[in-house]
Amino acid sequence: MYRSPAMSPSTGGIAVLLAVGAGCLALAIASLRSGSWTRRLYGLEPDNDASARANAAVLGIVGVGLFALAGAIVLELPSAIVRRATILASALLSFVLGWLVAVRDRRELLTTPDVDRKTGRRLGFVVIGCGVLLLAFVPLVWLEVDDAVVAVGALASTFDVLLAVAFAYR
């Protein structure tokens, strides 16, 4: 099968990272305007500037993170370092977001509108739990285990998180 030298798999992956990162940043910027369609998409009141700024901050951080990951790939940093840094940064951001929601009662950071304090606390602790699950992948990456083991772990973690979010909303 012929493969064009101009479009390698890493080029396609970088393009996807940049597109999703740009989309996150565009949504973040669009949600800052009062009465924007993105505020309605989130289920926010059109004049709720604090919640819109909080959602924009989260989307902005995700967008910048995706740009950083694309930059690391372009600069051809060692993949082991990029994998570990990505997992550790994601875990740290999960801890911070979960702590802000669960402990500091910053429920406006959630994209779910008008959750009560108790549900917000439970969701915040679920996000902290996501950070703990992410840390479990660091040894797998460090030891360079088989991709199938990582995939099974990721699927199991996803299932656990879905169940935890469902119970948090109960």
Side-chain angles (χ1 to χ4, degrees):
M1 180 170 135
Y2 175 75
R3 175 178 274 165
S4 168
M7 187 66 165
S8 70
S10 64
T11 304
I14 292 167
V16 169
L17 285 172
L18 292 175
V20 174
C24 287
L25 292 175
L27 279 173
I29 291 168
S31 68
L32 293 175
R33 195 178 72 248
S34 183
S36 71
W37 64 272
T38 54
R39 288 188 185 194
R40 290 188 301 276
L41 179 71
Y42 294 148
L44 298 175
E45 296 297 323
D47 59 344
N48 191 343
D49 290 335
S51 292
R53 282 192 304 271
N55 280 317
V58 172
L59 275 172
I61 289 169
V62 171
V64 168
L66 291 173
F67 280 135
L69 181 58
I73 294 169
V74 168
L75 294 174
E76 296 180 0
L77 296 178
S79 62
I81 292 172
V82 173
R83 287 191 302 256
R84 285 183 215 123
T86 301
I87 292 171
L88 290 173
S90 298
L92 176 66
L93 289 171
S94 293
F95 288 134
V96 170
L97 179 62
W99 178 80
L100 285 170
V101 172
V103 178
R104 302 292 296 171
D105 195 29
R106 296 290 309 268
R107 289 174 281 162
E108 71 273 7
L109 291 171
L110 298 170
T111 55
T112 305
D114 303 327
V115 295
D116 59 81
R117 183 176 297 230
K118 187 176 178 183
T119 302
R121 262 181 82 74
R122 288 193 306 252
L123 287 170
F125 285 120
V126 166
V127 175
I128 291 171
C130 289
V132 171
L133 284 173
L134 282 168
L135 288 178
F137 284 93
V138 173
L140 298 178
V141 171
W142 190 277
L143 298 172
E144 297 181 3
V145 299
D146 189 46
D147 289 343
V149 173
V150 174
V152 168
L155 287 172
S157 297
T158 302
F159 181 73
D160 292 344
V161 169
L162 286 173
L163 283 177
V165 168
F167 283 119
Y169 273 110
R170 289 187 73 203

